[in-house]
Amino acid sequence: MHLHRFFYIILIILLVSSCGISKKVQTQETSFDEGIGQIKHLVVIYMENRSFDNLYGEFKGANGIKNAKRGDFIQVDEAGKPYKYLPEIPRNNSFPTNLPNGVFNIDQYVASDKATPDVTHRFFHNQLQINGGKMDKFAAYNDSKGLAMGYYNTDKLPLYPFAQKYTLCDNFFQSVFGGSYFNHVYLISAAAPVWPNAPESLIAKFDANGKMIQDGIVTPDGYVVNHVYSRNSPYPLKSDTSQLLPSQTMPTIGDRLSEKNISWTWYSEGWDDAVAGKKNNFAYNHEPFLYFTKYQEGTEGRKHMKDQNDFIKAAKEGSLPSVSFVKPGGGNDEHPGGSAVYSSEQLAVNLINAVLDGPNAKDALVILTYDEFGGFFDHVAPPVIDRWGPGSRIPAIVIGPFAKKGVVDHTPYETVSILSFIEHRWGIKPLAERDKNANPFRNALTFK
């Protein structure tokens, strides 16, 4: 009798254990490839010109300025000689002339609700600043000199609560060296624009040893790597069209999405006014589809280019397309020289909240990142992939119900990881090797 009772107890224990195991299996996390289809709406908010150390260097758990303060990153002049002090910031008396040679806090001299001067962020200069991974010539190859070494108090940034709550990527790099135009175009095409027979005055010149003797928009072999506007309208009034980039024809992610009847839009602040020829804050070199033949005025592709106000309306109504790119305009995009960090990030917060508070929130993913480093120092040497980049490390925050909570993700990503995500999610063939090999945020996302 006692033996029967013993076996009965054992049976009960086994059944309870079995239920626990079953429950555990049921709540086990779904794999990335199985779960990615749960995301129905991707929103990419593309801010301007900030390195990771410049904004998130003080973020707890991130590879930040504590590591940048080591003696490894003493800034040197063009000849390789260390500066006694950072070179004086020109045309600005807000900063002292004897800043120590290293990173420094900008807030104590210019509050984050005020704009600083612009900082040099060109294709060849970015490579000179990186200096083969030594990261020691940001002040040397910079029109704003020592300002390149400045950073902001991270916990005072309006976007800081999102970085805290969701996933901050601290190993995310701009895909190509240099400035906004090239990184925008690369974001949608993973390719470098070309200009056969470009005007001689626009071509960079190098000596026999490979040293740059004249900066330029176009490389000697015809690739267009520095700031230029498109010949496709709209472009700034009174532009000399011979100095504008001819229309490009390589495939874009927009083409690929349209081929599969997947809805998408690029939303720009000031777009409607720019098209109407009115005074506006639209940044002509920040609308990458303008550079492509399929999106010229009068084409079918043009319907995918809309105003930022249309995005806010769609987010609030729950009518977002599958893929949205959102581009704040001049004065609101964090670009040094024209925008203040604080007010620009307040706008970004509003854009994010329009999604999270809207009907599409339950199946949306928001990725907020920056087009490029803006000329600011970052202490992490970028990986070496090809002649285009990657360039400097920049911030990226992954937000929404599928983002891991309270995580700093150290996984290597780059700008075209966004392309890789789109391609994995919607079954699209990669545009090039770079997006094919980029990590599609596998370690930043979680699915049930």
Side-chain angles (χ1 to χ4, degrees):
M1 186 72 171
H2 292 297
L3 191 60
H4 288 151
R5 183 179 297 171
F6 172 77
F7 283 120
Y8 180 78
I9 292 169
I10 293 297
L11 181 62
I12 294 295
I13 292 171
L14 288 172
L15 285 171
V16 170
S17 300
S18 169
C19 289
I21 292 170
S22 175
K23 186 174 181 182
K24 189 174 181 181
V25 169
Q26 287 173 4
T27 58
Q28 191 174 22
E29 188 174 303
T30 303
S31 72
F32 176 89
D33 292 314
E34 291 174 330
I36 193 172
Q38 297 174 33
I39 297 173
K40 307 298 183 185
H41 299 91
L42 171 67
V43 176
V44 179
I45 300 175
Y46 211 37
M47 303 299 283
E48 282 286 301
N49 293 44
R50 299 287 168 179
S51 72
F52 187 91
D53 280 340
N54 178 250
L55 293 181
Y56 290 94
E58 294 183 325
F59 195 91
K60 186 178 180 181
N63 181 3
I65 57 173
K66 284 184 179 178
N67 295 325
K69 287 179 177 176
R70 299 183 319 219
D72 306 2
F73 306 106
I74 294 296
Q75 295 297 291
V76 301
D77 63 19
E78 291 183 25
K81 181 181 177 182
Y83 294 109
K84 182 178 180 180
Y85 301 105
L86 289 178
E88 184 177 343
I89 299 166
R91 301 176 300 282
N92 192 292
N93 57 11
S94 298
F95 299 93
T97 58
N98 61 343
L99 283 167
N101 188 345
V103 293
F104 71 93
N105 177 235
I106 294 174
D107 298 89
Q108 60 188 316
Y109 306 116
V110 177
S112 64
D113 62 351
K114 301 289 189 298
T116 67
D118 201 358
V119 193
T120 304
H121 46 277
R122 292 173 68 79
F123 179 77
F124 299 112
H125 288 76
N126 190 191
Q127 295 169 72
L128 293 168
Q129 291 159 347
I130 289 168
N131 193 23
K134 295 179 182 177
M135 317 305 281
D136 61 1
K137 289 190 175 180
F138 283 80
Y141 291 102
N142 218 305
D143 293 340
S144 292
K145 302 301 179 183
L147 181 57
M149 302 302 292
Y151 68 89
Y152 289 91
N153 291 133
T154 299
D155 62 2
K156 293 183 173 67
L157 300 173
L159 285 169
Y160 172 68
F162 288 105
Q164 262 195 320
K165 182 176 181 180
Y166 296 103
T167 298
L168 176 69
C169 303
D170 74 344
N171 211 7
F172 185 103
F173 299 86
Q174 60 184 79
S175 277
V176 292
F177 300 114
S180 296
Y181 138 79
F182 193 12
N183 278 280
H184 277 74
V185 172
Y186 209 85
L187 165 66
I188 66 165
S189 68
V194 294
W195 194 345
N197 305 312
E200 187 67 23
S201 61
L202 302 182
I203 300 174
K205 306 292 191 300
F206 297 82
D207 65 18
N209 297 316
K211 182 179 179 181
M212 184 172 65
I213 55 178
Q214 176 185 306
D215 194 14
I217 290 170
V218 186
T219 65
D221 56 346
Y223 291 98
V224 191
V225 294
N226 275 322
H227 171 75
V228 64
Y229 295 123
S230 173
R231 266 180 220 181
N232 298 330
S233 65
Y235 45 73
L237 298 174
K238 299 181 180 178
S239 295
D240 178 355
T241 55
S242 70
Q243 305 291 299
L244 304 182
L245 181 62
S247 198
Q248 302 293 296
T249 58
M250 61 273 204
T252 69
I253 194 64
D255 304 343
R256 295 285 193 262
L257 288 166
S258 294
E259 287 165 6
K260 300 201 87 173
N261 293 316
I262 298 159
S263 59
W264 68 275
T265 301
W266 183 285
Y267 298 96
S268 297
E269 185 177 10
W271 170 254
D272 285 347
D273 284 342
V275 171
K278 297 178 182 177
K279 185 177 180 180
N280 63 83
N281 67 338
F282 174 71
Y284 298 90
N285 63 321
H286 296 171
E287 168 42 291
F289 289 100
L290 262 184
Y291 291 87
F292 291 84
T293 300
K294 286 188 176 181
Y295 303 93
Q296 290 175 319
E297 192 172 9
T299 62
E300 178 68 15
R302 195 75 160 197
K303 69 182 181 183
H304 296 285
M305 299 152 76
K306 296 182 180 180
D307 198 272
Q308 183 176 269
N309 289 328
D310 295 317
F311 169 77
I312 296 170
K313 183 174 183 288
K316 290 181 176 179
E317 292 176 349
S319 58
L320 287 172
S322 298
V323 178
S324 302
F325 299 95
V326 190
K327 188 68 200 185
N332 293 321
D333 57 11
E334 282 191 270
H335 195 302
S339 302
V341 167
Y342 196 86
S343 58
S344 296
E345 291 204 4
Q346 285 179 315
L347 169 65
V349 167
N350 292 338
L351 294 171
I352 294 167
N353 284 335
V355 178
L356 298 186
D357 295 338
N360 295 133
K362 63 185 182 299
D363 54 23
L365 180 71
V366 178
I367 299 173
L368 182 139
T369 188
Y370 293 73
D371 61 343
E372 38 100 347
F373 74 127
F376 286 107
F377 169 79
D378 190 88
H379 77 280
V380 176
V384 178
I385 296 181
D386 57 32
R387 68 181 287 192
W388 310 124
S392 290
R393 188 175 63 142
I394 55 177
I397 311 173
V398 183
I399 300 163
F402 303 102
K404 290 181 178 177
K405 304 301 186 289
V407 167
V408 177
D409 184 358
H410 307 300
T411 308
Y413 301 114
E414 59 165 307
T415 303
V416 294
S417 288
I418 295 168
L419 289 183
S420 181
F421 174 86
I422 294 170
E423 290 157 359
H424 278 79
R425 166 58 185 88
W426 282 283
I428 292 171
K429 181 182 177 183
L431 291 161
E433 286 300 304
R434 282 287 289 277
D435 54 314
K436 177 182 178 181
N437 295 324
N439 189 314
F441 298 98
R442 284 185 181 276
N443 296 325
L445 303 175
T446 182
F447 302 100
K448 294 290 191 284

